[in-house]
Amino acid sequence: MFGYNVKTLTQFIIERQADFPYATGEFTRLLYHVGVAAKLVNKKVNKAGLVDILGEAGNINVQGEEQKKLDLLANWQFVQALKNSRECCGVASEEDQEIITWDDELSRDGNYIFCMDPLDGSSNIDVNVSIGTIFSIYRRISPRGTKPTIEDFLQPGNKQVAAGYVVYGSSTMLVYTTGRGVYGFTLDPSIGEFCLSHLNIQTPENGKIYSVNEANYHQFPEGVKKYIDYCKESDKETNRPYSSRYIGSLVADFHRNLLKGGIFLYPSTQSAPKGKLRLIYECNPISFLAEQAGGAATDGTKRILDIKPESLHQRVPFFVGSKNMINKLHEFL
């Protein structure tokens, strides 16, 4: 019999624990519970067409968007997993108006806070297009043994100790970083484990893909319009025109560009002058991953990770991807 030579997410986290500047079993246990929650959500996503968890839940979330039933289920699943970890003292979710905390002593003593978009791209749920979960982890700044405060959640992205996403697609992948490179794990359904499949992901410095909702072209700032026009021009020396690829799920669009090289653009528009994507739940974790893989992320004027959040649900313009493509965009902006 031939052995199955795999390295699971749990094994990898334990082996790499020393890479983390505050190496403790607490952090390892927290990441383990994140992986468990991702597997449980994956099962629900895969069964979504067979049971009554598709469609609208009849509620409006804090962003003013219709909540899907699967959004609520994913949110609940991650919150429960984080509570059970006993290492997380509080959660901020795109689906909830306020932060979530717990009263038990173990949770109050937790050293980490967790921010998430539990189901990114939920408008694609009903049509079987890739969706995902985005998350980031910070060390609390309030005293251990007390309930976390809002200030714990309003730290700039450069204070993240870990970030990642799960993409539920043709295969389910968990990609994460603790500031020591980016690693990808693919879920093997035969053994129910995330297995290391992408070691030290590096995004190409140049790409041939631009991802943007061009239906909003006429609402974009002039510099963004000029950059999109540049992407469409024919120039053999710079391998233009680029290919336009836009799925409408940030996780899916970013994951493709991360591996193949490209740029994702979600600028401000006339109808959304402050941008549409959320700084804490989407832009910060994706930016941390991008930079760890050799890419870059900006709001058009400054580095995303240097922005100090002013509110839980703050939105910003967002540009992320291959470093040279981001630098070229800045020339137009």
Side-chain angles (χ1 to χ4, degrees):
M1 293 289 291
F2 291 100
Y4 187 13
N5 185 23
V6 299
K7 182 167 290 188
T8 67
L9 174 64
T10 304
Q11 180 185 357
F12 185 84
I13 290 171
I14 292 171
E15 289 180 0
R16 294 297 178 114
Q17 183 171 284
D19 287 348
F20 183 60
Y22 306 98
T24 65
E26 297 174 347
F27 185 71
T28 299
R29 285 191 295 274
L30 178 57
L31 286 179
Y32 167 78
H33 279 84
V34 171
V36 170
K39 286 189 279 189
L40 292 170
V41 172
N42 176 69
K43 293 289 287 184
K44 298 296 185 182
V45 169
N46 287 344
K47 294 199 298 184
L50 299 175
V51 295
D52 186 27
I53 53 176
L54 282 174
E56 312 293 347
N59 298 320
I60 302 293
N61 69 8
V62 67
Q63 311 297 338
E65 303 160 337
E66 281 284 348
Q67 286 177 302
K68 303 283 185 175
K69 295 176 185 178
L70 203 54
D71 281 46
L72 300 178
L73 190 149
N75 192 54
W76 180 87
Q77 196 72 73
F78 271 92
V79 169
Q80 292 305 306
L82 293 164
K83 180 181 179 182
N84 291 338
S85 77
R86 304 302 191 195
E87 311 302 343
C88 177
C89 63
V91 179
S93 169
E94 182 185 303
E95 299 299 328
D96 295 304
Q97 177 75 43
E98 306 293 341
I99 61 175
I100 299 169
T101 60
W102 304 286
D103 286 326
D104 61 283
E105 185 176 342
L106 284 173
S107 294
R108 288 199 304 271
D109 198 48
N111 206 25
Y112 300 97
I113 64 107
F114 194 89
C115 303
M116 66 174 174
D117 179 354
L119 212 60
D120 171 70
S122 55
S123 61
N124 289 320
I125 291 171
D126 290 357
V127 291
N128 203 25
V129 172
S130 295
I131 53 181
T133 297
I134 309 173
F135 66 88
S136 62
I137 302 172
Y138 298 78
R139 282 172 61 88
R140 69 184 302 170
I141 55 178
S142 57
R144 296 185 73 165
T146 65
K147 277 193 172 185
T149 68
I150 190 66
E151 290 304 315
D152 289 307
F153 296 87
L154 297 182
Q155 300 181 62
N158 55 35
K159 297 297 185 181
Q160 290 174 99
V161 296
Y165 62 82
V166 185
V167 57
Y168 310 104
S170 54
S171 61
T172 297
M173 276 193 68
L174 186 152
V175 179
Y176 88 101
T177 182
T178 57
R180 298 291 189 277
V182 179
Y183 300 90
F185 300 79
T186 301
L187 183 62
D188 183 341
S190 68
I191 60 173
E193 293 285 354
F194 281 105
C195 302
L196 181 63
S197 56
H198 294 68
L199 184 65
N200 195 23
I201 297 171
Q202 289 291 301
T203 195
E205 289 189 349
N206 295 289
K208 289 193 61 178
I209 298 170
Y210 72 99
S211 308
V212 63
N213 184 356
E214 289 196 63
N216 294 324
Y217 176 88
H218 293 292
Q219 292 194 54
F220 290 158
E222 201 61 35
V224 176
K225 290 181 184 178
K226 290 179 179 179
Y227 179 74
I228 293 173
D229 294 340
Y230 167 85
C231 292
K232 294 178 178 181
E233 292 171 357
S234 181
D235 181 62
K236 289 184 178 180
E237 187 175 335
T238 54
N239 291 317
R240 288 181 290 143
Y242 299 149
S243 298
S244 175
R245 297 285 186 271
Y246 186 72
I247 298 170
S249 294
L250 171 60
V251 164
D253 278 309
F254 175 72
H255 182 68
R256 179 200 55 240
N257 292 359
L258 176 70
L259 298 179
K260 294 190 173 184
I263 186 171
F264 176 90
L265 307 98
Y266 214 118
S268 59
T269 62
Q270 293 168 13
S271 57
K274 293 184 178 180
K276 194 171 181 183
L277 296 183
R278 293 81 179 175
L279 174 61
I280 291 177
Y281 310 116
E282 296 164 316
C283 303
N284 273 342
I286 293 297
S287 299
F288 190 23
L289 287 157
E291 290 194 6
Q292 283 297 308
T298 174
D299 71 348
T301 59
K302 56 184 173 292
R303 180 182 179 228
I304 288 289
L305 296 182
D306 289 337
I307 300 174
K308 174 72 168 69
E310 298 175 356
S311 63
L312 279 179
H313 302 285
Q314 180 178 342
R315 301 174 189 249
V316 293
F318 189 46
F319 309 96
V320 63
S322 297
K323 185 173 290 186
N324 289 344
M325 299 182 82
I326 293 290
N327 290 340
K328 190 66 180 179
L329 168 69
H330 271 281
E331 293 180 17
F332 289 93
L333 298 181

